[in-house]
């Protein structure tokens, strides 16, 4: 009997557990439905963020952020407010019913179950982002691409923010860029990817240019130069070194002076600003074309305040006169008589100085004016009308800012949520109650300038309505929780492990492990490992070191930007680099010499052993990105950002030939085996076969997509062309397509052909290498392991051995004949490996990196076979260069 009962009890327990789980799921769904009906419209719908909360239907976040405390009704802030009737606000309809309140109560008392777990979100990688931008650019005419710039929210998505939360950021970005615009229309950033985490703008929408964008980049602390093909193509297309910036950083930084002023291109004093918007304030006051409101207790200013409205070219222009607090004791002021303090507007409502016999004495103020698109711009001034980044604390303050100072831009937006805050005039009422306080002539002027409560309120409400209509066009709302200032506060909050990890492109667990492996990161952000936080400012200070430790790429330096295009729409050469740089290497068979493509516009004929230039080949007018060495070692070829391919005589160092019919970066060059012709490939989608003797075309292949690399068949039958999405073999005789491999998800970045012409290897930006046997459709081998894109590849005869260099700063030797193997990994490089080669002595290889460091490697022990004796014996490598070990 007992043995029969146990299985039955077990089945009953399982059924009870399943029933309880189903009950929790149903209860969670009911609670979510109540919250969506009554709370969602203010706390998430279309990015709305009342109460700084935009995730009210995310039950897990409500619990995680303590808005709901499981099994604790009193500790659950959200439930308390709903139960008390203060949420939704009393004037909101419909109201939660008793039955709906009971559902929330039951849900919390049941432990606030969250129901079904959401499916794990797919991480958006940096290559994904650049691929989306590149695809977007390809929808534009080439001339229009240089006006495009991009903002990213990918790190916030990877950190787990819901689409409602991300929409708040989109709204903030849209409102801010339009608030920094002199364009006549509201034009919002356009999402270009499926996740809507990459947003495009056109500089022309806001009357910006390359100078404005580069001014923004001067403040950008997260600039990393990505080493991928896609990133390079994006820079070429947009004519910008850094065409992407983080949207949250931009909102929090461009909304604050001085960047706020500089992007809006505002002058240094109020007189010049008024000229800009066609306002003659002094003449308007003389001719009584202004409307004033005077009062005490503005909430921002510590003493009394005057608001003054003018018509401007765009609509309205308001300015304030703010006053510091007068001293308690009266002093002898005029002709020995005691008079009220000139900071008292009820005694001195006329002015400013020079426009009244007894003018008030103000200490500064704020100007608010309509932009052509209907949004508002802000300007802080001192007593002599010079521009201020922050208002003085003894006059005005903003409790929402860390130092309580009123900051031009963000503080003004936070305060003036309705545009112009309606204020009731008290000056006219004071005059009417105290007619003997003023001379008759003064009283008449006061009545003309101060129209009274009703008229002033009506004008303010009309201006506010126009502003609200403009804000609505950005997707944001006129709300007590103004979206730009709210997102600024979120960005400025302390950084925790998940936030930091998402900002460097890792998961929380990966970032914790990487911190533990680095003494540098432990010193900077070690507290994150144990659940602590670091301030945003400390995170910014550490970001450069973190980026280096994680090999995220080269750090962007705004002071290295080069000349701009003639129309100031972008940089003449966004890929230019100064100092030692090596974008590609072409080694001699013995590895002693190399041709190096340099970012400083030169081609280096380089002594690898001596680590010095033999000659500098000068002629390119922009950075050089591709090089090749002829079989006899007498000639070098190069291609650059100037759209030219060139041939150089290495004996004299002089240019021997030039081909100038590409229209974009020449990313690949190669000599034919006889050394009389060159094949050049470009980002313009063309490959050209041209004769060195006269520079004339033999043939041209077009519409190949982004050409990234070429490799010549040693027998001179075909050329292999690596592109953005495919590997294409072209007949060397006439340029017709012989074979196509792909379409690949990640751009190809390097290609090589074995000396016998039978094997082709191509690497891509995802760190994968494929190896094909000529004539077969499917890749024979797929090699994976690089933690960054493959930048260079070489193949030994027979296709067994493949050598690769990567953006992860490693050199790897692959044995394609081994099913499983321990891949030798060489880690001496400190920069992306942009050139690799097997030496003809059969025992060594050589590699060069982007920092112009060339290293020889002893590899015979890995090959496991007798070295191949070259036809012509090469001198041995001198002892002065030690063999590096993996």
């Amino acid at each position: 009997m007992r043995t029969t009962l146990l299985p039955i009890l077990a089945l009953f327990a399982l059924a009870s557990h399943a029933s309880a789980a189903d009950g929790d799921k149903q209860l969670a769904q009911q609670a979510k439905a109540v919250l969506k009906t009554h709370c969602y419209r203010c706390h998430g719908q279309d990015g709305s963020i009342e109460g700084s909360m935009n995730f009210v239907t995310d039950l897990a976040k409500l619990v995680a952020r303590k808005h709901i405390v499981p099994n604790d009704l009193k500790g659950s802030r959200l439930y308390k407010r709903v139960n008390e009737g203060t949420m939704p606000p009393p004037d909101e309809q419909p109201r939660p019913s008793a039955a709906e309140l009971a559902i929330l109560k039951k849900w919390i008392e049941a432990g606030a179950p969250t129901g079904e777990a959401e499916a794990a979100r797919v991480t958006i990688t940096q290559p994904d982002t650049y691929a989306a931008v590149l695809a977007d650019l390809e929808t534009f005419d080439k001339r229009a691409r240089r006006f495009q710039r991009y903002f990213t929210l990918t790190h916030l998505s990877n950190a787990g923010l819901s689409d409602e939360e991300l929409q708040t950021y989109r709204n903030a970005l849209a409102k801010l860029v339009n608030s920094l615009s002199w364009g006549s229309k509201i034009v919002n950033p356009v999402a270009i990817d499926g996740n809507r985490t990459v947003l495009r703008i056109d500089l022309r929408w806001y009357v910006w240019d390359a100078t404005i964008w580069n001014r923004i980049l001067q403040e950008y602390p997260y600039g990393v130069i990505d080493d991928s093909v896609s990133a390079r193509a994006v820079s070429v297309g947009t004519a910008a070194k850094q065409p992407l910036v983080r949207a949250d950083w931009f909102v929090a930084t461009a909304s604050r002076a001085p960047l706020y002023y500089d992007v809006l291109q505002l002058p240094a004093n109020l007189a010049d600003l008024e000229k800009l918007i066609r306002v003659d304030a002094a003449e308007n006051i003389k001719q009584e074309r202004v409307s004033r409101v005077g009062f005490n207790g503005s909430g921002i200013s510590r003493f009394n305040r005057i608001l003054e409205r003018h018509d401007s070219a765009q609509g309205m222009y308001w300015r304030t006169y703010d006053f510091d607090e007068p001293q308690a004791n009266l002093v002898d002021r005029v002709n020995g008589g005691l008079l009220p303090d000139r900071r008292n507007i009820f005694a001195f409502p006329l002015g400013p100085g020079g426009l009244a016999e007894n003018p008030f004495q103000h200490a500064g103020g704020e100007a608010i004016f309509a932009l052509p698109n209907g949004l508002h711009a802000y300007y802080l001034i001192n007593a002599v009308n010079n521009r201020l980044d922050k208002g003085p604390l003894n006059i005005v303050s903003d409790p929402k800012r860390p130092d309580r100072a009123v900051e031009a831009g963000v503080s003004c937006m936070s305060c003036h949520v309705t545009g112009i805050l309606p204020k009731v005039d008290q000056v006219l009422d004071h005059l009417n109650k105290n007619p003997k306080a003023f001379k008759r002539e003064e009283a008449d002027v006061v009545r003309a300038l101060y129209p009274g409560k009703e008229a002033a309120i009506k004008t303010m409400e009309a201006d506010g309505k126009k502003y609200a209509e403009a804000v609505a066009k950005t997707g944001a709302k006129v709300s007590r929780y103004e979206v730009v200032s709210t997102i600024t506060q979120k960005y400025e909050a302390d950084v925790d492990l998940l936030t930091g990890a998402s900002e460097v492109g890792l998961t929380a667990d990966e970032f914790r492990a990487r911190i533990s492996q680095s003494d540098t990161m432990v010193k900077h952000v070690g507290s994150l490992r144990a659940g602590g936080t670091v301030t945003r400012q400390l995170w910014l200070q550490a970001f450069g070191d973190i980026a280096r430790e994680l090999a995220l790429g080269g750090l962007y330096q705004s002071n290295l930007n080069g000349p701009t295009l003639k129309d100031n729409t972008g940089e003449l050469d966004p890929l230019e680099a100064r100092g030692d740089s090596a974008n590609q290497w072409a080694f001699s068979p013995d590895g002693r010499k190399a041709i190096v493509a340099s970012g400083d516009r030169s081609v280096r004929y380089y002594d690898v052993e001596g680590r010095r230039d033999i000659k500098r080949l000068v002629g390119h007018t922009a950075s050089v990105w591709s090089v090749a060495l002829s079989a006899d070692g007498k000639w070098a070829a190069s291609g650059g950002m100037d759209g030219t391919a060139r041939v150089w005589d290495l004996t004299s160092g002089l240019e021997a030939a030039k081909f100038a019919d590409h229209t974009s970066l020449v990313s690949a060059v190669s000599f034919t085996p006889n050394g009389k012709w060159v094949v050049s490939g470009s980002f313009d989608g063309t490959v050209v076969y041209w004769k060195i003797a006269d520079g004339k075309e033999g043939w041209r292949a077009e519409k190949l997509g982004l050409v990234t690399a070429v490799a010549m068949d040693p027998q001179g039958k075909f050329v292999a062309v690596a592109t953005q999405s495919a590997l294409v073999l072209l007949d060397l005789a006439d340029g017709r397509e012989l074979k196509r491999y792909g379409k690949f998800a990640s751009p190809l970045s390097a290609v090589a052909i074995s000396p016998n012409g039978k094997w082709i290897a191509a690497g891509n930006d995802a760190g994968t290498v494929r190896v094909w046997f000529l004539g077969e459709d499917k890749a024979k081998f797929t090699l994976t392991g690089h933690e960054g894109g493959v930048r260079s590849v070489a193949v030994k005869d027979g296709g067994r051995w493949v050598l690769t260099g990567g953006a992860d700063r490693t050199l790897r030797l692959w044995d394609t004949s081994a099913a499983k193997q321990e891949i030798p990994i060489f880690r001496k490089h400190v920069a992306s490996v942009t050139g690799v080669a097997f030496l003809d002595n059969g025992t060594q290889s050589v590699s060069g990196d982007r920092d112009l460091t060339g290293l020889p490697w002893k590899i015979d022990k890995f090959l496991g076979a007798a070295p191949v004796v070259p036809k012509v014996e090469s001198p041995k490598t001198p002892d002065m260069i030690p063999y590096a070990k993996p």
Side-chain angles (χ1 to χ4, degrees):
M1 179 72 180
R2 186 175 182 183
T3 57
T4 305
L5 183 60
L6 284 175
I8 295 174
L9 291 175
L11 289 172
F12 180 76
L14 287 172
S16 299
H17 180 75
S19 177
D22 289 342
D24 285 349
K25 178 180 175 182
Q26 185 178 13
L27 190 55
Q29 290 173 342
Q30 292 173 339
K32 187 172 183 176
V34 172
L35 295 171
K36 188 160 189 176
T37 300
H38 298 289
C39 306
Y40 182 62
R41 59 184 177 269
C42 293
H43 301 285
Q45 185 173 6
D46 298 324
S48 55
I49 194 168
E50 286 299 310
S52 196
M53 182 173 71
N54 51 359
F55 48 86
V56 76
T57 58
D58 189 328
L59 305 185
K61 283 183 181 172
L62 288 177
V63 173
R65 301 182 188 183
K66 310 297 183 184
H67 293 280
I68 292 293
V69 180
N71 306 305
D72 185 357
L73 293 174
K74 291 183 178 180
S76 299
R77 292 175 289 162
L78 187 151
Y79 175 77
K80 283 180 64 178
R81 293 200 59 191
V82 174
N83 191 46
E84 292 168 353
T86 59
M87 190 173 110
D91 58 342
E92 287 279 337
Q93 295 296 332
R95 309 297 302 165
S97 66
E100 288 171 321
L101 286 172
I103 289 173
L104 292 180
K105 181 174 181 291
K106 183 179 179 181
W107 170 62
I108 294 170
E109 290 176 337
T114 58
E116 291 183 342
E118 291 188 11
R121 183 174 298 183
V122 177
T123 299
I124 305 169
T125 65
Q126 187 81 332
D128 293 336
T129 300
Y130 274 105
V133 173
L134 184 56
D136 182 64
L137 284 173
E138 289 175 348
T139 66
F140 288 89
D141 176 84
K142 288 184 178 180
R143 289 190 60 80
R145 294 175 188 176
R146 67 191 192 276
F147 300 106
Q148 312 310 311
R149 298 293 184 272
Y150 297 83
F151 297 95
T152 63
L153 296 167
T154 52
H155 62 290
L156 298 171
S157 176
N158 291 341
L161 270 66
S162 66
D163 192 63
E164 288 86 354
E165 292 174 287
L166 292 175
Q167 186 58 43
T168 306
Y169 285 86
R170 297 184 194 109
N171 293 346
L173 177 65
K175 183 181 178 185
L176 183 60
V177 291
N178 282 290
S179 296
L180 296 170
S181 169
W182 287 99
S184 61
K185 297 177 181 178
I186 299 287
V187 190
N188 294 329
V190 176
I192 65 164
D193 62 323
N195 299 300
R196 299 195 299 152
T197 58
V198 185
L199 303 146
R200 169 178 36 83
I201 66 167
D202 188 309
L203 296 176
R204 295 171 292 185
W205 293 346
Y206 313 116
V207 198
W208 295 357
D209 58 17
T211 299
I212 297 298
W213 186 255
N214 286 338
R215 174 65 186 93
I216 292 169
L217 294 180
Q218 285 178 7
E219 305 292 331
Y220 192 50
Y222 304 108
V224 173
I225 304 299
D226 192 288
D227 196 38
S228 68
V229 168
S230 295
R232 195 175 309 140
V234 167
S235 286
V236 171
T238 59
K241 275 189 176 70
Q242 195 78 27
L244 292 80
V245 299
R246 283 174 39 178
D248 57 337
W249 167 86
F250 179 81
V251 169
T253 310
S255 64
R256 297 164 46 224
L259 186 57
Y260 172 78
Y261 287 142
D262 292 346
V263 176
L264 260 176
Q265 305 161 69
L266 299 184
N269 61 75
L270 189 64
D272 288 338
L273 173 63
E274 291 175 346
K275 289 178 183 177
L276 181 66
I277 59 176
R278 297 187 65 83
V279 169
D280 188 334
E283 195 63 25
N284 287 347
I285 294 170
K286 289 178 184 178
Q287 297 192 14
E288 300 171 2
R289 294 194 299 245
V290 302
S291 177
R292 281 183 175 174
V293 175
F295 52 91
N296 263 323
S298 70
I300 295 295
S301 174
R302 297 183 61 184
F303 194 44
N304 42 214
R305 186 177 232 195
I306 294 173
L307 308 183
E308 179 178 279
R309 187 189 188 281
H310 303 250
D311 284 331
S312 75
Q314 284 81 239
M316 66 82 181
Y317 164 65
W318 287 85
R319 69 157 297 177
T320 72
Y321 300 94
D322 291 324
F323 301 81
D324 51 1
E325 191 169 358
Q327 297 175 357
N329 62 313
L330 294 176
V331 295
D332 192 355
R333 294 187 180 86
V334 179
N335 298 326
L338 294 178
L339 290 175
D341 196 293
R342 291 191 182 277
R343 290 168 285 197
N344 180 359
I345 65 171
F346 296 97
F348 297 96
L350 301 179
L355 298 177
E357 183 180 353
N358 295 307
F360 52 69
Q361 181 183 316
H362 69 288
E366 174 188 23
I368 306 175
F369 59 94
L371 292 164
N373 60 23
L375 291 173
H376 290 174
Y378 309 92
Y379 194 90
L380 299 182
I381 51 176
N382 61 15
V384 294
N385 292 337
N386 287 331
R387 194 178 82 181
L388 294 175
D389 292 347
K390 294 183 178 183
L393 283 171
N394 64 320
I395 301 175
V396 291
S397 63
D398 179 1
K400 295 180 182 179
R401 300 304 301 144
D403 59 1
R404 301 183 66 84
V406 170
E407 293 189 78
V410 67
S411 295
C412 309
M413 294 179 193
S414 175
C415 177
H416 295 281
V417 292
T418 58
I420 299 298
L421 299 179
K423 293 293 183 180
V424 175
D425 175 61
Q426 298 170 356
V427 170
L428 185 61
D429 189 50
H430 170 75
L431 171 62
N432 291 336
K433 291 179 180 178
N434 303 278
K436 296 182 179 180
F438 301 93
K439 297 177 182 178
R440 181 173 179 177
E441 295 82 0
E442 288 179 331
D444 289 343
V445 176
V446 170
R447 289 189 177 93
L449 298 181
Y450 292 83
K453 302 176 184 178
E454 292 76 13
I457 290 293
K458 185 177 180 180
T459 300
M460 292 177 178
E461 289 177 344
D463 287 341
K465 182 180 179 181
K466 291 179 181 178
Y467 175 72
E469 291 171 351
V471 170
K473 292 178 182 178
T474 70
K477 295 180 179 178
V478 170
S479 161
R480 188 163 61 95
Y481 284 85
E482 191 277 326
V483 66
V484 172
S485 56
T486 300
I487 292 305
T488 296
Q489 289 176 310
K490 287 184 176 293
Y491 168 79
E492 292 173 336
D494 290 350
V495 176
D496 59 18
L497 180 67
L498 179 59
T499 301
S502 68
E503 292 187 10
V504 296
L506 299 174
T507 67
D509 289 340
E510 289 171 339
F511 191 38
R512 184 187 290 111
R514 296 296 292 271
I515 293 173
S516 300
Q517 296 165 7
S518 166
D519 292 341
T520 298
M521 287 200 288
V522 166
K523 290 177 182 178
H524 282 307
V525 295
S527 60
L528 299 182
R529 294 183 299 171
T533 61
V534 296
T535 65
R536 175 60 67 177
Q537 194 57 40
L538 287 176
W539 175 259
L540 290 177
Q541 291 177 355
F543 186 80
D545 288 338
I546 294 171
R548 289 188 200 90
E549 289 290 298
L550 298 178
L552 300 182
L555 294 178
Y556 168 76
Q557 300 177 61
S558 62
N559 63 321
L560 298 183
N561 285 357
T564 58
L565 297 169
K566 291 181 179 179
D567 55 8
N568 199 29
T569 55
E571 290 185 56
L572 194 63
D573 180 7
L575 302 181
E576 184 176 4
R578 300 177 190 177
D580 292 337
S581 62
N583 296 322
Q584 192 177 63
W585 298 66
F587 292 99
S588 62
D590 61 6
R592 292 182 167 194
K593 296 179 177 63
I595 306 300
V596 179
S598 180
D600 64 0
R601 308 184 186 184
S602 70
V603 177
R604 294 171 182 258
Y605 184 26
Y606 195 69
D607 181 348
V608 179
E609 295 176 358
R611 300 182 182 182
R612 62 181 180 83
D613 290 330
I614 300 171
K615 285 186 176 72
R616 281 287 188 100
L617 313 177
V618 178
H620 281 284
T621 58
S623 55
V624 183
W625 283 87
S626 54
V627 286
L629 186 63
S630 65
D632 60 11
K634 296 179 180 180
W635 306 91
S638 62
M641 183 61 197
D642 58 4
T644 69
R646 302 171 190 243
V647 173
W648 309 87
D649 182 340
L650 293 182
T651 301
S652 65
L654 299 178
E655 182 180 300
K658 174 182 172 182
F659 183 80
D661 282 352
H662 287 293
T663 60
S664 186
L665 169 70
V666 178
S667 52
V669 290
S670 181
F671 284 99
T672 58
N674 63 14
K676 295 181 179 181
W677 296 76
V678 169
V679 172
S680 56
S682 170
F683 275 14
D684 64 10
T686 66
V687 171
V688 180
Y689 176 70
W690 55 279
K691 195 172 184 178
I692 296 173
D694 55 15
K696 292 183 178 180
E697 288 185 21
W699 53 257
R700 174 185 290 256
E702 298 182 308
K703 298 181 180 179
L704 294 172
L706 204 68
V707 176
T708 59
V710 298
M712 185 66 62
D713 169 33
Q715 277 69 49
K717 296 179 179 179
F718 67 91
V719 60
V721 180
T723 74
Q724 179 181 349
S725 60
L727 177 65
V728 183
L729 304 188
L730 301 178
D731 191 322
L732 199 59
D734 54 16
R736 62 188 174 85
E737 185 174 311
L738 300 173
K739 187 78 175 174
R740 178 178 289 260
Y741 303 96
K743 190 173 184 177
F744 303 120
S746 183
L748 296 183
S749 50
V751 63
I753 301 175
S754 64
N756 65 5
K758 299 294 185 181
W759 295 88
I760 305 171
N764 67 14
D765 264 347
T768 300
V769 181
R770 291 179 176 85
V771 184
W772 291 270
F773 183 73
L774 188 65
E776 295 184 358
D777 292 333
K778 189 176 180 181
K780 202 81 170 177
F781 310 104
T782 299
L783 314 175
T784 60
H786 277 289
E787 296 175 358
V790 176
R791 295 290 162 259
S792 46
V793 61
V795 186
K796 275 181 74 69
D797 208 352
R800 176 180 175 182
W801 298 100
V802 178
L803 188 67
T804 59
D808 59 0
R809 305 180 291 195
T810 68
L811 185 76
R812 298 174 188 236
L813 179 64
W814 310 81
D815 181 357
T816 60
S817 68
K820 292 183 179 180
Q821 61 176 310
E822 297 234 351
I823 301 165
I825 302 176
F826 305 85
R827 301 184 182 274
K828 293 287 185 180
H829 286 287
V830 295
S832 178
V833 180
T834 53
V836 298
F838 290 105
L839 302 191
D840 59 2
N841 62 17
T843 63
Q844 284 183 282
S845 66
V846 66
S847 58
D849 64 28
R850 198 173 294 284
D851 284 352
L852 198 62
T853 299
L855 296 175
W857 305 92
K858 190 173 176 62
I859 59 171
D860 53 339
K861 71 174 183 178
F862 301 111
L863 303 182
V868 177
V869 179
K871 294 179 180 178
V872 178
E873 186 176 353
S874 300
K876 295 181 179 180
T877 304
D879 294 336
M880 62 176 288
I881 303 179
Y883 293 134
K885 296 180 180 180

